[in-house]
Coordinates of all heavy atoms in Angstrom, one line a residue:
E1 N 0.8 -1.2 0.0 CA 0.0 0.0 0.0 C 0.9 1.2 0.0 O 1.7 1.4 0.9 CB -0.9 0.0 1.2 CG -1.9 -1.1 1.2 CD -2.9 -1.0 2.4 OE1 -2.8 0.0 3.2 OE2 -3.6 -1.9 2.6
I2 N 0.6 2.1 -0.9 CA 1.4 3.4 -1.1 C 1.0 4.4 0.0 O -0.2 4.6 0.2 CB 1.2 3.9 -2.5 CG1 1.8 3.0 -3.5 CG2 1.9 5.3 -2.6 CD1 1.6 3.4 -4.9
V3 N 2.0 4.9 0.7 CA 1.7 6.0 1.7 C 2.0 7.3 1.0 O 1.2 8.2 1.2 CB 2.6 5.8 2.9 CG1 2.5 7.0 3.9 CG2 2.3 4.5 3.6
A4 N 3.1 7.4 0.3 CA 3.4 8.7 -0.4 C 4.3 8.4 -1.5 O 5.0 7.4 -1.6 CB 4.1 9.6 0.6
V5 N 4.4 9.4 -2.5 CA 5.3 9.3 -3.6 C 6.0 10.7 -3.6 O 5.4 11.7 -3.6 CB 4.5 9.1 -4.9 CG1 5.5 9.1 -6.1 CG2 3.7 7.9 -4.9
A6 N 7.3 10.6 -3.6 CA 8.2 11.8 -3.6 C 9.0 11.9 -4.9 O 9.6 10.9 -5.4 CB 9.1 11.8 -2.4
A7 N 9.1 13.1 -5.5 CA 9.9 13.3 -6.7 C 11.4 13.1 -6.3 O 11.8 13.5 -5.2 CB 9.7 14.7 -7.2
D8 N 12.1 12.5 -7.2 CA 13.6 12.3 -7.0 C 14.2 12.4 -8.4 O 14.4 11.4 -9.1 CB 13.9 11.0 -6.4 CG 15.3 10.8 -5.9 OD1 16.1 11.7 -6.2 OD2 15.6 9.7 -5.4
D9 N 14.6 13.6 -8.8 CA 15.1 13.9 -10.2 C 14.2 13.3 -11.2 O 13.0 13.6 -11.3 CB 16.5 13.4 -10.3 CG 17.5 14.2 -9.5 OD1 17.3 15.4 -9.4 OD2 18.5 13.6 -9.0
N10 N 14.7 12.4 -12.1 CA 13.8 11.8 -13.1 C 13.1 10.6 -12.6 O 12.5 9.8 -13.4 CB 14.7 11.4 -14.3 CG 15.3 12.6 -15.0 OD1 14.7 13.6 -15.1 ND2 16.5 12.4 -15.5
Y11 N 13.1 10.3 -11.3 CA 12.5 9.2 -10.7 C 11.5 9.6 -9.7 O 11.4 10.8 -9.4 CB 13.5 8.2 -10.1 CG 14.5 7.6 -11.1 CD1 15.6 8.3 -11.5 CD2 14.2 6.4 -11.6 CE1 16.5 7.8 -12.5 CE2 15.1 5.8 -12.6 CZ 16.2 6.5 -13.0 OH 17.0 5.9 -13.9
S12 N 10.8 8.6 -9.1 CA 9.9 8.8 -8.0 C 10.3 7.8 -6.9 O 10.6 6.7 -7.2 CB 8.5 8.6 -8.3 OG 8.1 9.4 -9.4
E13 N 10.3 8.3 -5.7 CA 10.5 7.4 -4.5 C 9.1 7.0 -3.9 O 8.4 7.9 -3.5 CB 11.4 8.0 -3.5 CG 11.8 7.1 -2.4 CD 12.8 7.7 -1.5 OE1 12.6 8.8 -0.9 OE2 13.9 7.0 -1.3
V14 N 8.8 5.8 -4.0 CA 7.5 5.3 -3.5 C 7.7 4.8 -2.1 O 8.5 3.9 -1.9 CB 6.9 4.2 -4.4 CG1 5.5 3.8 -3.9 CG2 6.8 4.8 -5.8
H15 N 7.0 5.3 -1.1 CA 7.0 4.9 0.3 C 5.8 4.0 0.5 O 4.6 4.5 0.2 CB 7.0 6.1 1.2 CG 8.1 7.0 1.0 ND1 9.2 7.0 1.9 CD2 8.4 8.0 0.1 CE1 10.1 7.9 1.5 NE2 9.6 8.5 0.4
V16 N 6.0 2.8 1.0 CA 4.9 1.9 1.3 C 4.7 1.7 2.8 O 5.6 2.1 3.6 CB 5.0 0.6 0.5 CG1 4.9 0.8 -1.0 CG2 6.3 -0.1 0.9
R17 N 3.6 1.2 3.1 CA 3.1 1.1 4.5 C 4.1 0.4 5.5 O 4.3 0.8 6.6 CB 1.8 0.4 4.6 CG 1.2 0.4 5.9 CD -0.2 -0.3 5.9 NE -0.8 -0.2 7.2 CZ -1.9 -0.8 7.5 NH1 -2.5 -1.5 6.6 NH2 -2.4 -0.7 8.7
D18 N 4.8 -0.6 5.0 CA 5.8 -1.3 5.9 C 7.1 -0.6 6.0 O 8.0 -1.1 6.7 CB 6.0 -2.8 5.3 CG 6.8 -2.8 4.0 OD1 7.2 -1.8 3.5 OD2 7.0 -3.9 3.5
G19 N 7.2 0.6 5.5 CA 8.5 1.3 5.6 C 9.4 1.2 4.5 O 10.4 1.9 4.4
S20 N 9.1 0.3 3.5 CA 10.0 0.1 2.4 C 9.8 1.3 1.4 O 8.8 2.0 1.4 CB 9.6 -1.2 1.6 OG 9.7 -2.3 2.4
R21 N 10.9 1.5 0.6 CA 10.9 2.5 -0.4 C 11.4 1.9 -1.7 O 12.3 1.1 -1.7 CB 11.8 3.7 0.0 CG 11.3 4.4 1.3 CD 12.2 5.5 1.7 NE 13.6 5.0 1.9 CZ 14.6 5.7 2.3 NH1 14.5 7.0 2.3 NH2 15.7 5.2 2.5
F22 N 10.8 2.4 -2.8 CA 11.2 1.9 -4.1 C 11.4 3.1 -5.0 O 10.7 4.1 -5.0 CB 10.1 1.0 -4.7 CG 9.7 -0.1 -3.9 CD1 8.7 -0.1 -3.0 CD2 10.4 -1.3 -4.0 CE1 8.3 -1.2 -2.2 CE2 10.1 -2.4 -3.2 CZ 9.1 -2.3 -2.3
L23 N 12.4 3.0 -5.9 CA 12.7 4.0 -6.8 C 12.1 3.6 -8.2 O 12.4 2.5 -8.7 CB 14.2 4.2 -7.0 CG 14.7 5.6 -7.5 CD1 14.2 6.7 -6.6 CD2 16.2 5.6 -7.5
V24 N 11.3 4.4 -8.7 CA 10.5 4.1 -10.0 C 10.8 5.2 -11.0 O 10.7 6.4 -10.6 CB 9.0 4.0 -9.7 CG1 8.3 3.7 -10.9 CG2 8.8 2.9 -8.6
R25 N 11.0 4.9 -12.2 CA 11.1 5.9 -13.3 C 9.7 6.3 -13.7 O 9.2 5.7 -14.7 CB 11.9 5.4 -14.4 CG 12.3 6.5 -15.4 CD 13.3 6.0 -16.4 NE 13.5 7.0 -17.4 CZ 14.5 7.9 -17.4 NH1 15.3 7.9 -16.4 NH2 14.6 8.8 -18.3
R26 N 9.1 7.3 -13.1 CA 7.8 7.8 -13.4 C 7.7 9.2 -12.9 O 8.2 9.5 -11.8 CB 6.8 6.9 -12.7 CG 5.3 7.3 -13.1 CD 4.4 6.4 -12.4 NE 4.3 5.1 -13.1 CZ 3.4 4.2 -12.9 NH1 2.5 4.4 -12.0 NH2 3.4 3.1 -13.5
T27 N 7.1 10.1 -13.6 CA 7.0 11.5 -13.2 C 5.8 11.7 -12.2 O 4.9 10.8 -12.1 CB 6.7 12.4 -14.4 OG1 5.4 12.1 -15.0 CG2 7.8 12.3 -15.5
M28 N 5.8 12.8 -11.5 CA 4.7 13.1 -10.6 C 3.4 13.2 -11.4 O 2.3 12.7 -10.9 CB 5.0 14.3 -9.8 CG 6.2 14.2 -8.9 SD 6.1 12.9 -7.7 CE 5.1 13.6 -6.5
K29 N 3.4 13.7 -12.5 CA 2.2 13.9 -13.4 C 1.7 12.5 -13.7 O 0.4 12.2 -13.7 CB 2.5 14.7 -14.6 CG 1.4 14.8 -15.6 CD 0.2 15.6 -15.1 CE -0.8 15.8 -16.1 NZ -2.2 15.6 -15.6
E30 N 2.5 11.6 -14.1 CA 2.1 10.2 -14.4 C 1.5 9.5 -13.1 O 0.5 8.8 -13.3 CB 3.3 9.3 -14.8 CG 3.7 9.7 -16.2 CD 5.0 9.0 -16.6 OE1 5.9 8.9 -15.8 OE2 5.1 8.5 -17.8
W31 N 2.0 9.8 -11.9 CA 1.4 9.3 -10.7 C 0.1 9.9 -10.5 O -0.9 9.2 -10.2 CB 2.3 9.6 -9.5 CG 3.5 8.6 -9.4 CD1 4.8 8.9 -9.5 CD2 3.4 7.2 -9.1 NE1 5.6 7.8 -9.3 CE2 4.8 6.8 -9.0 CE3 2.4 6.3 -8.8 CZ2 5.1 5.4 -8.8 CZ3 2.7 5.0 -8.6 CH2 4.0 4.6 -8.5
E32 N -0.1 11.2 -10.7 CA -1.4 11.8 -10.5 C -2.4 11.3 -11.4 O -3.6 11.1 -11.1 CB -1.2 13.3 -10.8 CG -0.7 14.1 -9.6 CD -0.7 15.6 -9.9 OE1 -0.2 16.0 -10.9 OE2 -1.3 16.3 -9.0
D33 N -2.0 10.9 -12.7 CA -2.9 10.4 -13.6 C -3.3 8.9 -13.4 O -4.3 8.4 -13.8 CB -2.4 10.5 -15.1 CG -2.3 12.0 -15.5 OD1 -2.9 12.8 -14.9 OD2 -1.5 12.2 -16.5
T34 N -2.4 8.2 -12.6 CA -2.6 6.8 -12.4 C -3.3 6.5 -11.1 O -4.1 5.6 -11.0 CB -1.2 6.1 -12.4 OG1 -0.5 6.3 -13.6 CG2 -1.3 4.6 -12.2
L35 N -2.9 7.2 -10.0 CA -3.4 6.9 -8.7 C -4.9 7.4 -8.6 O -5.2 8.4 -9.1 CB -2.5 7.6 -7.6 CG -1.1 7.0 -7.5 CD1 -0.3 7.9 -6.6 CD2 -1.2 5.6 -6.9
P36 N -5.7 6.7 -7.9 CA -7.1 7.1 -7.7 C -7.2 8.4 -7.0 O -6.7 8.6 -5.9 CB -7.8 6.0 -7.0 CG -6.7 5.2 -6.3 CD -5.4 5.4 -7.1
A37 N -7.9 9.4 -7.6 CA -8.0 10.7 -7.0 C -8.8 10.7 -5.7 O -8.7 11.6 -4.9 CB -8.7 11.7 -8.0
S38 N -9.6 9.7 -5.5 CA -10.3 9.5 -4.2 C -9.4 9.3 -3.0 O -9.8 9.6 -1.9 CB -11.4 8.4 -4.3 OG -10.7 7.2 -4.6
H39 N -8.2 8.8 -3.2 CA -7.3 8.5 -2.1 C -6.0 9.2 -2.1 O -5.3 9.3 -1.1 CB -7.0 7.0 -2.2 CG -8.1 6.1 -1.8 ND1 -9.2 5.9 -2.6 CD2 -8.4 5.5 -0.6 CE1 -10.0 5.1 -2.0 NE2 -9.6 4.9 -0.8
F40 N -5.6 9.8 -3.3 CA -4.3 10.5 -3.4 C -4.5 11.9 -3.8 O -5.3 12.3 -4.6 CB -3.4 9.7 -4.4 CG -3.1 8.4 -3.9 CD1 -3.9 7.3 -4.2 CD2 -1.9 8.2 -3.2 CE1 -3.5 6.0 -3.7 CE2 -1.5 6.9 -2.7 CZ -2.4 5.8 -3.0
V41 N -3.6 12.8 -3.2 CA -3.6 14.2 -3.5 C -2.2 14.7 -3.4 O -1.3 14.3 -2.6 CB -4.5 15.0 -2.4 CG1 -4.0 14.9 -1.0 CG2 -4.7 16.4 -2.9
R42 N -1.9 15.7 -4.3 CA -0.6 16.3 -4.3 C -0.6 17.4 -3.3 O -1.5 18.2 -3.2 CB -0.3 16.9 -5.7 CG 1.1 17.3 -5.9 CD 1.3 17.6 -7.4 NE 2.7 17.5 -7.7 CZ 3.2 17.4 -8.9 NH1 2.3 17.2 -9.9 NH2 4.4 17.4 -9.1
V43 N 0.5 17.4 -2.4 CA 0.5 18.4 -1.3 C 1.8 19.3 -1.5 O 1.9 20.2 -0.7 CB 0.6 17.7 0.1 CG1 -0.7 16.9 0.3 CG2 1.8 16.8 0.2
H44 N 2.6 19.0 -2.5 CA 3.8 19.8 -2.7 C 4.2 19.5 -4.2 O 3.7 18.5 -4.7 CB 4.9 19.4 -1.8 CG 6.0 20.3 -1.8 ND1 7.1 20.2 -2.6 CD2 6.3 21.4 -1.0 CE1 8.0 21.1 -2.4 NE2 7.5 21.9 -1.4
R45 N 4.9 20.4 -4.8 CA 5.4 20.1 -6.1 C 6.0 18.7 -6.3 O 5.8 18.1 -7.3 CB 6.4 21.2 -6.5 CG 6.9 21.1 -7.9 CD 7.8 22.3 -8.2 NE 8.9 22.4 -7.4 CZ 10.1 21.9 -7.6 NH1 10.4 21.3 -8.7 NH2 11.1 22.1 -6.8
G46 N 6.7 18.3 -5.2 CA 7.3 17.0 -5.3 C 6.8 15.9 -4.4 O 7.5 15.0 -4.0
M47 N 5.5 16.0 -4.0 CA 5.0 15.0 -3.1 C 3.5 14.8 -3.3 O 2.7 15.7 -3.4 CB 5.2 15.5 -1.6 CG 4.7 14.5 -0.6 SD 5.6 13.0 -0.5 CE 7.2 13.6 0.1
I48 N 3.1 13.5 -3.3 CA 1.7 13.0 -3.4 C 1.5 12.1 -2.1 O 2.4 11.3 -1.8 CB 1.4 12.2 -4.6 CG1 1.6 13.1 -5.9 CG2 0.0 11.6 -4.6 CD1 1.5 12.4 -7.2
I49 N 0.4 12.3 -1.5 CA 0.2 11.5 -0.3 C -1.1 10.7 -0.4 O -2.0 11.0 -1.2 CB 0.1 12.3 1.0 CG1 -1.1 13.2 1.0 CG2 1.4 13.0 1.3 CD1 -1.5 13.8 2.4
N50 N -1.2 9.6 0.3 CA -2.4 8.8 0.4 C -3.3 9.4 1.6 O -2.8 9.4 2.7 CB -2.1 7.3 0.7 CG -3.2 6.4 0.8 OD1 -4.4 6.8 1.0 ND2 -3.0 5.2 0.6
L51 N -4.4 9.9 1.3 CA -5.3 10.6 2.2 C -5.7 9.6 3.4 O -5.9 10.1 4.5 CB -6.5 11.1 1.6 CG -6.3 12.3 0.6 CD1 -7.6 12.6 -0.2 CD2 -5.9 13.5 1.4
T52 N -5.8 8.3 3.1 CA -6.2 7.4 4.2 C -5.1 7.2 5.2 O -5.4 6.6 6.3 CB -6.6 6.0 3.6 OG1 -5.5 5.4 3.0 CG2 -7.8 6.2 2.6
R53 N -3.9 7.6 4.9 CA -2.8 7.5 5.9 C -2.5 8.8 6.6 O -1.6 8.9 7.5 CB -1.5 7.1 5.1 CG -1.6 5.8 4.4 CD -1.7 4.7 5.4 NE -2.0 3.4 4.7 CZ -2.9 2.5 5.1 NH1 -3.4 2.7 6.3 NH2 -3.1 1.4 4.5
Y54 N -3.3 9.8 6.4 CA -3.1 11.1 7.0 C -3.5 11.0 8.5 O -4.6 10.4 8.9 CB -4.0 12.2 6.4 CG -4.1 13.5 7.1 CD1 -3.1 14.4 7.0 CD2 -5.2 13.8 7.9 CE1 -3.1 15.6 7.7 CE2 -5.3 15.0 8.6 CZ -4.2 15.9 8.5 OH -4.3 17.1 9.2
R55 N -2.6 11.5 9.4 CA -2.9 11.4 10.9 C -2.9 12.7 11.6 O -3.3 12.8 12.7 CB -1.8 10.4 11.5 CG -2.0 9.0 11.0 CD -3.3 8.4 11.4 NE -3.5 7.1 10.9 CZ -4.4 6.8 9.9 NH1 -5.1 7.8 9.3 NH2 -4.5 5.6 9.4
G56 N -2.4 13.8 10.9 CA -2.5 15.1 11.6 C -1.5 16.0 10.9 O -0.8 15.7 10.0
S57 N -1.6 17.3 11.4 CA -0.7 18.3 10.7 C -0.2 19.3 11.8 O -0.8 19.4 12.9 CB -1.5 19.1 9.7 OG -2.6 19.8 10.2
D58 N 0.8 20.0 11.4 CA 1.4 21.1 12.3 C 1.8 22.2 11.4 O 2.8 22.1 10.6 CB 2.6 20.5 13.0 CG 3.3 21.5 13.9 OD1 2.6 22.4 14.4 OD2 4.5 21.3 14.2
R59 N 1.2 23.3 11.5 CA 1.5 24.5 10.7 C 2.8 25.1 11.2 O 2.9 25.5 12.3 CB 0.4 25.5 10.7 CG 0.6 26.6 9.8 CD -0.7 27.4 9.5 NE -0.4 28.3 8.4 CZ -1.3 28.7 7.6 NH1 -2.5 28.3 7.7 NH2 -1.0 29.5 6.7
Q60 N 3.8 25.2 10.3 CA 5.1 25.8 10.6 C 5.2 27.3 10.4 O 5.6 28.0 11.2 CB 6.2 25.1 9.8 CG 6.2 23.6 10.1 CD 6.7 23.3 11.5 OE1 7.8 23.6 11.8 NE2 5.9 22.7 12.3
T61 N 4.7 27.7 9.2 CA 4.8 29.1 8.8 C 3.5 29.3 7.9 O 2.7 28.4 7.7 CB 6.0 29.4 7.9 OG1 5.9 28.7 6.6 CG2 7.3 29.0 8.6
G62 N 3.4 30.5 7.4 CA 2.3 30.8 6.5 C 2.3 30.0 5.2 O 1.4 29.9 4.5
E63 N 3.5 29.5 4.9 CA 3.7 28.8 3.6 C 3.9 27.3 3.8 O 3.9 26.6 2.8 CB 4.9 29.4 2.9 CG 4.7 30.9 2.5 CD 5.8 31.4 1.7 OE1 6.7 30.7 1.3 OE2 5.8 32.6 1.4
T64 N 4.2 26.9 5.0 CA 4.5 25.5 5.2 C 3.7 24.8 6.3 O 3.6 25.4 7.4 CB 6.0 25.3 5.4 OG1 6.7 25.8 4.3 CG2 6.4 23.8 5.6
T65 N 3.2 23.6 6.0 CA 2.5 22.8 7.0 C 3.1 21.4 6.9 O 3.4 20.9 5.8 CB 1.0 22.7 6.7 OG1 0.4 24.0 6.8 CG2 0.3 21.8 7.7
L66 N 3.4 20.8 8.1 CA 4.0 19.5 8.1 C 2.8 18.5 8.4 O 2.0 18.7 9.3 CB 5.0 19.4 9.2 CG 6.3 20.2 9.0 CD1 7.3 20.0 10.2 CD2 7.0 20.0 7.7
L67 N 2.8 17.4 7.6 CA 1.8 16.4 7.7 C 2.4 15.1 8.3 O 3.5 14.7 7.9 CB 1.2 16.1 6.3 CG 0.7 17.3 5.5 CD1 0.3 16.8 4.1 CD2 -0.4 18.0 6.2
Q68 N 1.6 14.5 9.2 CA 2.1 13.2 9.7 C 1.2 12.1 9.0 O 0.0 12.3 8.9 CB 1.8 13.1 11.2 CG 2.7 13.9 12.1 CD 2.3 15.4 12.1 OE1 1.2 15.7 12.2 NE2 3.3 16.3 12.0
L69 N 1.9 11.1 8.5 CA 1.3 10.0 7.8 C 1.6 8.7 8.4 O 2.8 8.5 8.8 CB 1.7 10.0 6.3 CG 1.5 11.3 5.5 CD1 2.2 11.1 4.1 CD2 0.0 11.5 5.4
E70 N 0.6 7.9 8.6 CA 0.9 6.5 9.1 C 1.8 5.8 8.1 O 1.5 5.8 6.9 CB -0.5 5.8 9.2 CG -0.3 4.4 9.7 CD -1.7 3.7 9.7 OE1 -2.7 4.3 9.7 OE2 -1.6 2.4 9.6
G71 N 2.8 5.2 8.6 CA 3.7 4.5 7.7 C 5.0 5.2 7.4 O 5.9 4.7 6.7
L72 N 5.1 6.5 7.7 CA 6.3 7.3 7.5 C 6.9 7.8 8.8 O 6.1 8.2 9.7 CB 6.0 8.6 6.6 CG 5.7 8.4 5.2 CD1 5.5 9.7 4.5 CD2 6.8 7.6 4.5
A73 N 8.2 7.7 8.9 CA 8.8 8.0 10.2 C 8.8 9.5 10.4 O 8.6 10.0 11.6 CB 10.3 7.5 10.2
G74 N 9.0 10.3 9.4 CA 9.0 11.8 9.6 C 7.9 12.4 8.9 O 7.1 11.8 8.1
P75 N 7.7 13.7 9.1 CA 6.6 14.5 8.5 C 6.9 14.8 7.0 O 8.0 14.7 6.6 CB 6.6 15.8 9.3 CG 7.9 15.9 9.8 CD 8.5 14.6 10.0
V76 N 5.8 15.1 6.3 CA 5.9 15.5 4.9 C 5.5 17.0 4.8 O 4.5 17.4 5.5 CB 4.8 14.6 4.1 CG1 4.7 15.2 2.7 CG2 5.3 13.2 4.1
R77 N 6.2 17.7 4.0 CA 5.9 19.1 3.9 C 4.8 19.4 2.9 O 4.9 18.8 1.8 CB 7.2 19.9 3.5 CG 7.1 21.4 3.5 CD 8.4 22.0 3.3 NE 8.8 21.9 2.0 CZ 9.2 22.9 1.2 NH1 9.2 24.1 1.7 NH2 9.5 22.7 0.0
A78 N 3.8 20.1 3.2 CA 2.8 20.6 2.3 C 2.9 22.0 2.1 O 3.1 22.8 3.0 CB 1.4 20.3 2.9
S79 N 2.8 22.4 0.8 CA 3.0 23.8 0.4 C 1.6 24.5 0.5 O 0.6 23.9 0.3 CB 3.5 23.9 -1.0 OG 3.4 25.2 -1.5
F80 N 1.6 25.8 0.8 CA 0.4 26.6 1.0 C -0.4 26.6 -0.3 O -1.6 26.6 -0.3 CB 0.7 28.0 1.4 CG 1.2 28.9 0.3 CD1 0.4 29.7 -0.4 CD2 2.6 28.9 -0.1 CE1 0.9 30.6 -1.4 CE2 3.1 29.7 -1.1 CZ 2.2 30.5 -1.8
R81 N 0.3 26.4 -1.4 CA -0.4 26.4 -2.8 C -1.3 25.2 -2.9 O -2.4 25.3 -3.6 CB 0.7 26.4 -3.8 CG 0.2 26.2 -5.2 CD 1.3 26.2 -6.2 NE 0.9 25.7 -7.5 CZ 1.7 25.3 -8.4 NH1 3.0 25.2 -8.2 NH2 1.2 24.8 -9.5
Y82 N -1.0 24.1 -2.2 CA -1.8 22.9 -2.3 C -2.8 22.7 -1.2 O -3.6 21.8 -1.2 CB -0.9 21.7 -2.4 CG -0.1 21.7 -3.7 CD1 1.2 22.3 -3.7 CD2 -0.6 21.1 -4.9 CE1 2.0 22.3 -4.9 CE2 0.2 21.2 -6.1 CZ 1.4 21.7 -6.0 OH 2.2 21.7 -7.2
L83 N -2.7 23.6 -0.2 CA -3.6 23.4 1.0 C -5.1 23.5 0.8 O -5.8 22.7 1.3 CB -3.1 24.4 2.1 CG -1.8 24.0 2.8 CD1 -1.5 25.1 3.9 CD2 -1.8 22.7 3.4
P84 N -5.5 24.4 -0.1 CA -7.0 24.4 -0.3 C -7.5 23.1 -0.8 O -8.6 22.6 -0.4 CB -7.2 25.6 -1.3 CG -6.0 26.5 -1.1 CD -4.9 25.5 -0.7
D85 N -6.8 22.5 -1.8 CA -7.3 21.2 -2.3 C -7.2 20.1 -1.3 O -8.1 19.3 -1.1 CB -6.5 20.8 -3.6 CG -7.0 19.6 -4.3 OD1 -8.3 19.5 -4.3 OD2 -6.2 18.8 -4.8
L86 N -6.1 20.1 -0.5 CA -5.9 19.1 0.6 C -7.1 19.3 1.6 O -7.7 18.3 2.0 CB -4.6 19.3 1.2 CG -4.3 18.4 2.4 CD1 -4.4 16.9 2.0 CD2 -3.0 18.7 3.1
R87 N -7.4 20.5 2.0 CA -8.5 20.7 3.0 C -9.8 20.2 2.4 O -10.6 19.5 3.1 CB -8.7 22.2 3.3 CG -7.8 22.7 4.3 CD -8.2 24.1 4.7 NE -7.1 24.7 5.6 CZ -6.1 25.4 5.1 NH1 -6.1 25.8 3.9 NH2 -5.2 25.9 6.0
A88 N -10.1 20.5 1.2 CA -11.3 20.0 0.5 C -11.4 18.5 0.4 O -12.4 17.9 0.7 CB -11.5 20.7 -0.8
R89 N -10.3 17.9 0.1 CA -10.3 16.5 -0.1 C -10.4 15.8 1.3 O -11.0 14.7 1.4 CB -9.0 16.0 -0.8 CG -8.8 16.7 -2.2 CD -9.6 16.1 -3.3 NE -9.3 14.7 -3.5 CZ -8.2 14.3 -4.1 NH1 -7.3 15.1 -4.5 NH2 -7.9 13.0 -4.2
L90 N -9.7 16.3 2.3 CA -9.9 15.7 3.6 C -11.3 15.9 4.1 O -11.8 15.0 4.7 CB -8.9 16.4 4.6 CG -7.4 16.0 4.5 CD1 -6.5 16.9 5.3 CD2 -7.2 14.5 4.8
H91 N -11.9 17.0 3.9 CA -13.3 17.3 4.3 C -14.2 16.3 3.7 O -15.1 15.8 4.3 CB -13.7 18.7 4.0 CG -15.1 19.0 4.4 ND1 -15.4 19.2 5.7 CD2 -16.2 19.2 3.7 CE1 -16.7 19.5 5.8 NE2 -17.2 19.4 4.6
A92 N -14.0 15.9 2.4 CA -14.8 15.0 1.7 C -14.8 13.6 2.3 O -15.7 12.9 2.1 CB -14.4 14.9 0.2
I93 N -13.7 13.3 3.0 CA -13.6 11.9 3.6 C -13.8 12.0 5.2 O -13.5 11.1 5.9 CB -12.3 11.2 3.3 CG1 -11.1 11.9 3.8 CG2 -12.2 10.9 1.8 CD1 -9.8 11.2 3.7
G94 N -14.3 13.2 5.6 CA -14.7 13.4 7.0 C -13.5 13.7 7.9 O -13.6 13.4 9.1
R95 N -12.5 14.3 7.4 CA -11.3 14.7 8.2 C -11.0 16.1 8.1 O -11.5 16.8 7.1 CB -10.1 13.8 7.8 CG -10.3 12.4 8.1 CD -9.0 11.7 7.8 NE -9.0 10.5 8.6 CZ -8.0 9.6 8.5 NH1 -7.0 9.8 7.7 NH2 -8.0 8.5 9.3
Q96 N -10.2 16.7 9.0 CA -9.8 18.1 8.9 C -8.3 18.2 8.9 O -7.6 17.4 9.5 CB -10.4 18.8 10.1 CG -11.9 18.9 10.1 CD -12.4 19.8 11.3 OE1 -11.6 20.1 12.2 NE2 -13.6 20.1 11.2
L97 N -7.8 19.3 8.3 CA -6.4 19.6 8.3 C -6.0 20.2 9.6 O -6.6 20.9 10.2 CB -6.1 20.6 7.1 CG -4.6 21.0 6.9 CD1 -3.8 19.7 6.6 CD2 -4.5 22.0 5.9

């Protein structure tokens, strides 16, 4: 189960629930087009998360919020540009940012 996908130059680093990571030659746009929109959302230019793994957030600045995801050791940075969509998508599944 995918927890998050992070951009890594011409590749993507896929983080899965058991803590494993895989390097895949796929763009973030390809991931966005492939992953179901009901469960995945882009939270940063270089990061897509699985909404079902969202566990909480901590606003750092006006431009940055850190997200905690089940299955990841550290937080994921969400950009202010992507927060409105993230809020709406979380609200749709009964959660809040």
Side-chain angles (χ1 to χ4, degrees):
E1 293 182 8
I2 296 174
V3 175
V5 179
D8 189 358
D9 290 325
N10 293 327
Y11 294 85
S12 305
E13 187 174 54
V14 180
H15 299 262
V16 293
R17 188 175 182 187
D18 69 2
S20 301
R21 297 180 298 177
F22 302 95
L23 205 56
V24 178
R25 189 172 175 93
R26 185 179 283 190
T27 66
M28 297 302 282
K29 175 66 174 140
E30 289 172 317
W31 281 112
E32 280 185 306
D33 293 343
T34 303
L35 294 169
S38 60
H39 289 79
F40 292 88
V41 63
R42 196 167 194 159
V43 296
H44 192 273
R45 184 175 56 95
M47 181 67 67
I48 296 171
I49 67 163
N50 184 335
L51 292 168
T52 64
R53 301 290 171 219
Y54 172 79
R55 295 298 173 253
S57 64
D58 180 26
R59 187 163 188 151
Q60 298 293 296
T61 68
E63 295 184 7
T64 302
T65 298
L66 298 180
L67 308 175
Q68 288 81 39
L69 302 174
E70 178 186 338
L72 286 184
V76 169
R77 189 170 73 127
S79 171
F80 77 98
R81 176 178 163 199
Y82 295 92
L83 289 180
D85 187 38
L86 176 60
R87 276 190 190 96
R89 302 282 298 287
L90 285 170
H91 181 73
I93 62 170
R95 295 188 154 174
Q96 291 184 350
L97 182 62

